[in-house]
Amino acid sequence: TITSATANPMKDFEVVNPPDDSIQCLAFSPAALQQDFLVAGSWDNNVRCWEVQRDGETVGKAQQTMEGPVLDVAWQDDGTKVYMASADKGVHCWDLGSNQKVQVAAHDAPVKTVHWVKSPTYSCIMTGSWDKTLKFWDTRSQNPILSLQLPERVYCADVDYPMAVVGTANRNIIVYTLEQQPKEFKQIESPLKYQHRCVSIFRDKKNTPAGFALGSVEGRVAIQYINAASPRDNFTFKCHRSNGTPNGYQEIYAVNDIKFHPSHGTLATVGSDGRFSFWDKDARTKLKNSEAMEQSISCCAFNNNGQIFAYAVSYDWSKGHDAHNTKEKNHIFLRPCVEELKPRSR
């Protein structure tokens, strides 16, 4: 299907048969697989999987249905399984080979985040829920290996071994170390005044997880090092805001997702303003700003080698139920991005 220029202003490749409702999460297959597969979880309770071909075309492969909206997805590192976290309070493991799913985790409230943890001594999934717990599961067992009480509901999380970061309601940020077994490393006072919406871990020049980027509903991102060499290393920047002040005030939009490029270390942000932006945090510069889509960009992902940037255009509920136009179609676009995310030589 060829989408109108207004719906696809960047003229990017379009994923066939996108979800019928808001797209909550996107994840590309790990490096263990030769081909690129993309999974998307959405508010229509489904997780869909496509194969992304070298020419940018996509082929729908399979789908699984949960009992509630899908709030997060995560691949196992060998590419054989996808974990699906849902508002139905459970996490299911989807075995792609057999196309079967089985429940592997449970909470007392919707499960907002799921991540695969691969350490030299163990592997498990980490699940964060609105029941104010963070749980770690050996997927062969009924009970969690570990359940940690949190100060508030989980809103966002990221894992890059040996680090995990969890952001909760009331602007709490907790950093965990995952070596030997997961344990709290430190709590950090939020550098942002408003509610967190997304978090993404970044690596330093030695390719070691060193800190995280945190996005808020107030069009702002914080770059935070766990052990900053200097306090000046930590900073915040504004993004996803209207240019100028059309009605005498600036429109400010939520930052819906942040992802770091796997080789360049630069980052992408996507927002309720329907734009994606590429940034170089070290040079503190913007590399690119997209044209505006017809709807919000709700989430994004890079494939494992950083050649493809995927972004989902769909309603993100930032303006509540009344602003939801059911006639608006959802889209997932794919963009060759390796050149655009290169840091500029200084």
Side-chain angles (χ1 to χ4, degrees), residues 52-67:
V52 180
Q53 298 175 330
R54 299 246 179 261
D55 59 2
E57 296 300 312
T58 43
V59 181
K61 284 295 190 193
Q63 101 174 28
Q64 280 290 349
T65 304
M66 301 285 279
E67 298 293 310

Side-chain angles (χ1 to χ4, degrees), residues 88-93 101-107 139 142:
D88 67 14
K89 306 180 191 175
V91 177
H92 280 70
C93 172
K101 68 166 187 179
V102 56
Q103 186 162 349
V104 289
H107 280 269
T139 58
Q142 290 273 297

Side-chain angles (χ1 to χ4, degrees), residues 111-281:
V111 187
K112 184 65 172 66
T113 66
V114 60
H115 289 85
W116 175 252
V117 177
K118 175 78 168 165
S119 105
T121 54
Y122 69 92
S123 53
C124 68
I125 58 168
M126 179 183 96
T127 59
S129 166
W130 291 342
D131 68 6
K132 306 183 186 178
T133 63
L134 186 71
K135 295 182 183 183
F136 296 83
W137 309 79
D138 174 331
T139 58
R140 297 163 302 199
S141 163
Q142 290 273 297
N143 296 313
I145 313 166
L146 183 63
S147 181
L148 300 172
Q149 204 58 44
L150 297 169
E152 255 293 354
R153 291 152 294 166
V154 174
Y155 278 173
C156 54
D158 195 20
V159 167
D160 187 358
Y161 185 85
M163 187 193 291
V165 181
V166 177
T168 73
N170 285 353
R171 299 170 40 251
N172 299 291
I173 304 163
I174 305 145
V175 180
Y176 297 89
T177 171
L178 303 174
E179 281 162 310
Q180 275 82 54
Q181 66 168 28
K183 53 184 178 291
E184 186 175 310
F185 178 67
K186 63 157 78 164
Q187 298 209 17
I188 293 178
E189 192 178 341
S190 176
L192 301 176
K193 291 195 196 66
Y194 294 87
Q195 181 184 310
H196 308 152
R197 210 159 160 84
C198 47
V199 67
S200 187
I201 293 172
F202 62 79
R203 295 180 168 209
D204 60 18
K205 297 281 183 272
K206 299 189 198 109
N207 206 27
T208 309
F212 56 87
L214 185 72
S216 81
V217 297
E218 187 252 347
R220 199 182 285 268
V221 169
I223 300 291
Q224 189 83 19
Y225 285 82
I226 303 302
N227 298 306
S230 144
R232 289 194 302 277
D233 292 350
N234 296 332
F235 65 99
T236 70
F237 63 91
K238 295 174 186 170
C239 50
H240 301 288
R241 293 163 179 238
S242 63
N243 286 328
T245 51
N247 315 318
Y249 59 90
Q250 187 181 39
E251 298 251 359
I252 296 177
Y253 299 89
V255 182
N256 286 333
D257 204 359
I258 301 173
K259 291 284 171 21
F260 280 89
H261 190 273
S263 53
H264 296 324
T266 49
L267 65 148
T269 62
V270 301
S272 297
D273 58 345
R275 294 179 196 270
F276 64 79
S277 300
F278 298 156
W279 311 84
D280 179 341
K281 71 169 174 35

